[in-house]
Amino acid sequence: MRKDILIRIIGGFVIGVVIGQVVQFFVSKGIAQGSYAWVVPEFRALFTNEIFAIITQFLLTGLIGITFALAALFFEIARWGMLKQYIVHFFVTAIIWIPIVIILWMPKTVANVCSLLASFLGTYVVTWLFQYKLSKRDIEKINAMLTKER
């Protein structure tokens, strides 16, 4: 179990940093006018130099990856129902992901924050409905097989 958690932490960190850099690439395309911006200017302004801002961005995007990697363990708690798993996963990931995304990349306006919150919630609702339908179909198949064996 400890090895699995360590693998999730390391893998989550690496995946989080890679995805963060992909996001930063696209953000940079929109703001840097032909050059690459390692961090957005608003985030850069929080630090004494750009290197500290870049390192902090790597650590924060790595933290997002670790959070999602470890929060996936909630779906392995068999005694919890699917709804409880999703609710706990939603709140744990939202508490980490939303503030970091706002700090790193979002212009700080009420409209942008509301848009981010709505997209995060919308994604969860769609994902939950999809997983619910898949689980329901799987349960029906298992029940049909059990009925057939009798």
Side-chain angles (χ1 to χ4, degrees), residues 106-148:
M106 298 259 326
K108 281 93 178 141
T109 66
V110 173
N112 285 340
V113 172
C114 288
S115 173
L116 179 69
L117 294 174
S119 67
F120 194 75
L121 179 60
T123 300
Y124 258 84
V125 169
V126 169
T127 303
W128 185 83
L129 288 171
F130 181 73
Q131 289 297 326
Y132 179 80
K133 288 186 183 281
L134 285 178
S135 295
K136 187 175 178 180
R137 187 189 71 199
D138 290 344
I139 290 168
E140 288 170 356
K141 284 181 183 178
I142 292 168
N143 286 337
M145 287 174 24
L146 291 173
T147 303
K148 195 183 274 187

Side-chain angles (χ1 to χ4, degrees), residues 8-10 22 24-25 27-28 51 55 57 67 83 89 95 97 105-106 113 123 135 137 146 150:
R8 283 178 184 267
I9 290 170
I10 294 168
V22 170
Q24 183 59 37
F25 172 79
V27 169
S28 179
I51 294 297
I55 291 169
Q57 179 173 285
T67 301
L83 181 60
H89 185 269
I95 287 168
W97 187 80
W105 297 300
M106 298 259 326
V113 172
T123 300
S135 295
R137 187 189 71 199
L146 291 173
R150 291 182 189 181

Side-chain angles (χ1 to χ4, degrees), residues 25-124:
F25 172 79
F26 287 107
V27 169
S28 179
K29 295 276 292 175
I31 65 170
Q33 302 164 347
S35 61
Y36 184 75
W38 283 91
V39 293
V40 298
E42 294 84 3
F43 185 68
R44 162 63 182 90
L46 300 173
F47 298 88
T48 56
N49 66 53
E50 190 171 31
I51 294 297
F52 288 140
I54 294 167
I55 291 169
T56 303
Q57 179 173 285
F58 277 26
L59 293 174
L60 290 174
T61 56
L63 177 60
I64 290 172
I66 291 169
T67 301
F68 276 90
L70 292 178
L73 292 171
F74 294 132
F75 297 112
E76 296 179 13
I77 302 174
R79 66 183 181 274
W80 287 6
M82 196 166 122
L83 181 60
K84 182 177 181 179
Q85 292 170 340
Y86 267 90
I87 289 171
V88 172
H89 185 269
F90 172 84
F91 282 108
V92 168
T93 56
I95 287 168
I96 300 298
W97 187 80
I98 291 171
I100 291 174
V101 168
I102 291 170
I103 291 167
L104 291 178
W105 297 300
M106 298 259 326
K108 281 93 178 141
T109 66
V110 173
N112 285 340
V113 172
C114 288
S115 173
L116 179 69
L117 294 174
S119 67
F120 194 75
L121 179 60
T123 300
Y124 258 84

